Amino acid sequence: MKVNTDSLILGSWAQFRANLSHAPRILDIGTGSGILALMMAQKAAHFCNPNGEEQNVQSSSIDISSFDNGAARIDAIEIDEQAAAQAATNFKNAKWAKQLFIYCCDVTGYTSPHLYDLVISNPPYFDTPATLSNAYSKQSQSRSVARQTSALGSDELFSASSTLLIEQGQMYCVYPASMEASVIETAEGYGLSLADILYVKHTSNKSPYLCAFHFKKVMEGASDNLKNVTAHREWPSLIAKNAIKNELIIRDQKGEYTSEYKALCQPFYLKF
């Protein structure tokens, strides 16, 4: 399975809330081939058995004896039929197959009988250009849907996440660094408060190209009261100012992966 760097970083960085009293319920929005859902399944196995030796996908089986509500459940949404079929195959072949579920649908039409502890998404964030370049003109329809915001805008993503999360639930996503302010403001409008942000650089002398965001749901029904929430235009900047900020550099000046990048992604990348 191909794994892009953005998803590898996001899935490695995401964490479950420490005080959960039950096995995590997780939703991956726009799962593609299912990589983030699979990463969350691996993390859940370790979370449910913190004293175990779960270090990579070849390690020991899940032990959820400390939780009354059974094993973690990981649901994944994918609008593209071919990608959803690939994810279903990947889930079937995974050691956590009984915990992984794929739904081929639009997130705006998705309903669930339960709320989630964590929502994660590597959403499409390349706007459709006014003039199509060769790269865009040669894209397949499914590739276009996967890469462009016309299929899943930030409003749709954060609205759905807020609706589907428990109170104090966690939401993780990535967007280009250039979209930092607008992403924070949009999320705040749906009751999702910025807790952490990770600025990702290709090298130390480059500006961040990507931001990984960690939001917490703090306001019940915020999406139903959007007008009152967004009236406080200073909230996003105030919240962002108090958020925990970190930086991740992928490669050093010699072009080698940095020790920080290796340490973050090692549980999911056996070469490290």
Side-chain angles (χ1 to χ4, degrees):
M1 184 193 308
K2 290 184 178 180
V3 180
N4 68 54
T5 301
D6 296 359
S7 289
L8 181 61
I9 291 171
L10 179 62
S12 299
W13 186 61
Q15 300 293 327
F16 302 121
R17 205 173 80 205
N19 61 347
L20 278 180
S21 59
H22 56 265
R25 296 182 296 270
I26 304 150
L27 177 65
D28 177 10
I29 298 177
T31 193
S33 61
I35 181 59
L36 283 174
L38 289 164
M39 292 176 78
M40 293 302 99
Q42 179 176 322
K43 283 206 169 192
H46 182 71
F47 180 85
C48 293
N49 184 22
N51 297 318
E53 297 181 353
E54 182 81 23
Q55 295 297 326
N56 57 55
V57 294
Q58 280 80 34
S59 55
S60 60
S61 60
I62 298 170
D63 176 6
I64 47 81
S65 58
S66 61
F67 293 103
D68 294 332
N69 294 348
R73 179 186 174 103
I74 302 93
D75 294 332
I77 301 171
E78 175 53 51
I79 193 172
D80 179 69
E81 292 183 3
Q82 289 185 334
Q86 181 62 63
T89 299
N90 292 333
F91 291 173
K92 182 180 179 181
N93 294 329
K95 62 186 293 185
W96 312 283
K98 293 182 179 180
Q99 299 165 252
L100 289 154
F101 302 87
I102 180 71
Y103 300 91
C104 186
C105 66
D106 188 321
V107 69
T108 58
Y110 177 74
T111 58
S112 172
H114 56 261
L115 296 178
Y116 294 94
D117 303 292
L118 184 147
V119 171
I120 191 166
S121 180
N122 181 359
Y125 45 70
F126 295 100
D127 288 324
T128 305
T131 302
L132 291 178
S133 65
N134 286 335
Y136 275 94
S137 64
K138 292 179 181 179
Q139 284 186 139
S140 66
Q141 177 62 28
S142 59
R143 181 64 169 169
S144 177
V145 168
R147 297 298 297 275
Q148 296 172 17
T149 57
S150 57
L152 178 62
S154 57
D155 274 291
E156 289 81 6
L157 175 61
F158 292 126
S159 175
S161 298
S162 181
T163 299
L164 292 164
L165 279 169
I166 63 170
E167 285 297 302
Q168 296 302 312
Q170 317 293 297
M171 195 275 174
Y172 288 87
C173 61
V174 288
Y175 279 97
S178 60
M179 296 178 65
E180 177 186 355
S182 63
V183 166
I184 294 171
E185 182 173 358
T186 301
E188 284 291 317
Y190 292 99
L192 298 171
S193 175
L194 183 67
D196 301 88
I197 187 167
L198 181 67
Y199 296 98
V200 183
K201 295 182 175 182
H202 287 298
T203 59
S204 61
N205 60 345
K206 299 286 187 180
S207 298
Y209 80 94
L210 186 77
C211 287
F213 299 93
H214 169 208
F215 297 100
K216 293 182 181 179
K217 182 177 176 178
V218 295
M219 188 179 299
E220 181 67 36
S223 58
D224 296 327
N225 195 23
L226 183 59
K227 186 179 295 185
N228 291 337
V229 174
T230 56
H232 300 279
R233 292 297 179 185
E234 73 278 10
W235 282 15
S237 59
L238 291 175
I239 294 295
K241 191 174 183 180
N242 294 324
I244 298 172
K245 300 181 179 181
N246 286 294
E247 183 179 275
L248 177 68
I249 299 170
I250 297 176
R251 294 183 182 273
D252 61 24
Q253 296 303 313
K254 296 180 179 179
E256 303 293 333
Y257 289 124
T258 63
S259 57
E260 292 81 7
Y261 180 69
K262 288 182 179 180
L264 177 67
C265 303
Q266 187 276 330
F268 303 99
Y269 195 39
L270 299 183
K271 283 187 178 180
F272 291 166

